[in-house]
Amino acid sequence: MVYVGVLSWLLGIDLELIHQSLEFHFKGKQKPIDQNFQAVKSAYDWAVENLEKKDPYVARKMNGTKDCILTDGNTAAALGAIYGGMQFTAWYPITPATSLAESLIEYMPQYRVDPETGRNTYAIVQSEDELAAIGMAIGAGWGGLRAMTSTSGPGLSLMAEYIGLAYYAEVPVVIWDVQRSDPAPACPRAPRRAT
């Protein structure tokens, strides 16, 4: 937040926009909004008194994205699943696939509720592990629902046997494999020194 405050001064960013961003991010949780904004404001005030701007760079409001949709891949995938008629999702939290399921949780109540009865026309289940997630999705597909799950490389490896079952039994299921930028979930170990 100190960085944001100093950068706001350097680039001429209105602090009200920063405050609005904090309100959006913390969704009405006043204490973290106030604490973070106070850090931003303190850093901004420090920059005003202690730094001299020598470059010509400023950030300006633009309408370059007017009438455009700005989104990330997982949100787009979730919306695609919703518009494709997805009825059931089972998932287990795993980076970077978690935000796909979280986007489903955010948007399904807006787009998949029966207008006459007010009942949900979908189910989203957070399972205890990747095996349960794919098992539930395949079971739902076997039962006739449009079913899906989302995971990443290590989770997909754990799902391999169930995926084989779905393949041989011809059970329809969608599996979103959200790629990581590295091959493993953990950091590599530091090399040991020879003694």
Side-chain angles (χ1 to χ4, degrees):
M1 291 295 105
V2 170
Y3 172 80
V4 171
V6 172
L7 194 63
S8 295
W9 178 77
L10 285 172
L11 296 178
I13 298 171
D14 184 0
L15 288 183
E16 181 54 33
L17 295 174
I18 303 297
H19 195 269
Q20 290 171 10
S21 178
L22 290 169
E23 287 175 335
F24 174 80
H25 180 75
F26 289 108
K27 309 262 191 257
K29 296 176 186 162
Q30 200 58 45
K31 187 175 180 179
I33 292 169
D34 293 342
Q35 289 174 336
N36 282 284
F37 189 71
Q38 182 58 43
V40 169
K41 181 78 169 88
S42 295
Y44 184 94
D45 293 342
W46 178 89
V48 167
E49 295 197 19
N50 295 290
L51 298 179
E52 180 184 344
K53 182 153 174 72
K54 296 181 179 181
D55 62 69
Y57 304 107
V58 293
R60 290 190 204 121
K61 280 181 140 182
M62 297 173 58
N63 284 331
T65 57
K66 185 179 179 193
D67 299 326
C68 294
I69 296 172
L70 183 62
T71 190
D72 60 81
N74 282 354
T75 302
L79 289 170
I82 292 168
Y83 293 130
M86 189 279 297
Q87 298 166 299
F88 180 86
T89 297
W91 67 289
Y92 182 71
I94 185 169
T95 304
T98 299
S99 63
L100 196 157
E102 289 172 342
S103 292
L104 287 171
I105 292 166
E106 180 180 351
Y107 290 109
M108 289 298 268
Q110 295 175 38
Y111 298 111
R112 297 301 302 278
V113 175
D114 186 298
E116 293 178 15
T117 65
R119 296 181 66 186
N120 294 338
T121 60
Y122 64 92
I124 302 172
V125 179
Q126 181 180 336
S127 64
E128 65 269 23
D129 56 33
E130 288 89 347
L131 293 170
I134 189 66
M136 286 186 242
I138 291 170
W142 182 277
L145 296 179
R146 291 185 182 185
M148 64 166 272
T149 189
S150 58
T151 190
S152 187
L156 189 67
S157 296
L158 292 171
M159 295 177 177
E161 288 187 60
Y162 268 124
I163 293 169
L165 167 68
Y167 172 78
Y168 282 106
E170 298 182 359
V171 177
V173 65
V174 173
I175 303 167
W176 288 92
D177 179 15
V178 183
Q179 285 294 103
R180 290 182 171 168
S181 59
D182 59 32
C187 296
R189 292 184 183 160
R192 294 185 179 184
R193 292 184 182 179
T195 55

